[in-house]
Amino acid sequence: MTVFAAIDFETADYWRDSACAVGIVLVENGRIAQRYEQLIRPPREEFVFTHIHGLTWNDVRDSPTFGEVWPEMRDIIGESEFLVAHNASFDKSVLRACCQADQIEPPEQEIRCTMQMARAKWDLPSAKLAIVCEHLRIPLNHHNALSDAEACAKIAIEAFK
């Protein structure tokens, strides 16, 4: 049985340690088994990307920090053979920067890129998340961490068929 987790982060500012939301979707044997979503209080109050994801400091000020959220994330991710993310280099860099900032050992699983999977599998004008989702008829509330992670999980499921 293949078990993997799709992960998506939203960030507050230009620094990779500024995760302000995370979505994780655990997939077991081609089916979604668990969904996890959490707002995260980043290390700085400055929000540069509110225009993208709609989140502000007021939305996350009372949320747990990455270090406080990590044990639950680790428990979900720990079950997976690998992780997937759309434009995986971004989410991988956020995960590593947040772990480093909190002196946490990052997960060892490789992170596979669903953007690259989509390019290899389907002849689309673009491999952007919204375009791939439209092609596969996957609902998407873009830049909502859980919606993006679930879309990523569904793209991976389709790509592995």
Side-chain angles (χ1 to χ4, degrees):
M1 176 169 72
T2 302
V3 178
F4 68 89
I7 190 166
D8 182 78
F9 286 103
E10 299 301 326
T11 54
D13 62 32
Y14 295 105
W15 299 96
R16 293 291 196 236
D17 68 346
S18 71
C20 60
V22 64
I24 302 173
V25 174
L26 187 68
V27 176
E28 295 178 354
N29 210 23
R31 294 179 167 233
I32 293 174
Q34 185 176 357
R35 293 171 179 86
Y36 174 79
E37 178 179 30
Q38 179 64 56
L39 293 177
I40 300 169
R41 187 176 71 243
R44 293 165 297 280
E45 292 183 23
E46 180 185 18
F47 268 67
V48 176
F49 299 124
T50 298
H51 67 285
I52 294 174
H53 49 60
L55 297 172
T56 67
W57 175 253
N58 285 336
D59 295 321
V60 301
R61 71 181 326 137
D62 297 324
S63 297
T65 65
F66 180 85
E68 293 167 336
V69 169
W70 176 247
E72 196 167 0
M73 288 177 59
R74 182 190 58 224
D75 288 349
I76 298 166
I77 291 170
E79 299 179 35
S80 61
E81 299 167 32
F82 57 90
L83 306 176
V84 296
H86 208 75
N87 190 17
S89 61
F90 171 79
D91 294 287
K92 183 178 183 175
S93 69
V94 172
L95 180 57
R96 291 198 178 281
C98 288
C99 284
Q100 184 177 12
D102 283 315
Q103 299 178 330
I104 294 167
E105 190 68 31
E108 294 182 13
Q109 296 99 323
E110 70 171 311
I111 302 180
R112 300 179 187 177
C113 184
T114 54
M115 182 180 277
Q116 292 175 358
M117 289 179 197
R119 284 186 184 125
K121 184 87 173 175
W122 302 288
D123 184 23
L124 300 173
S126 166
K128 289 183 177 181
L129 186 59
I131 304 274
V132 178
C133 286
E134 184 178 329
H135 174 74
L136 296 174
R137 295 189 174 105
I138 296 170
L140 178 67
N141 177 11
H142 203 8
H143 299 297
N144 169 281
L146 182 58
S147 180
D148 287 0
E150 186 164 338
C152 182
K154 291 177 178 178
I155 290 167
I157 290 166
E158 287 300 313
F160 292 143
K161 286 184 178 176

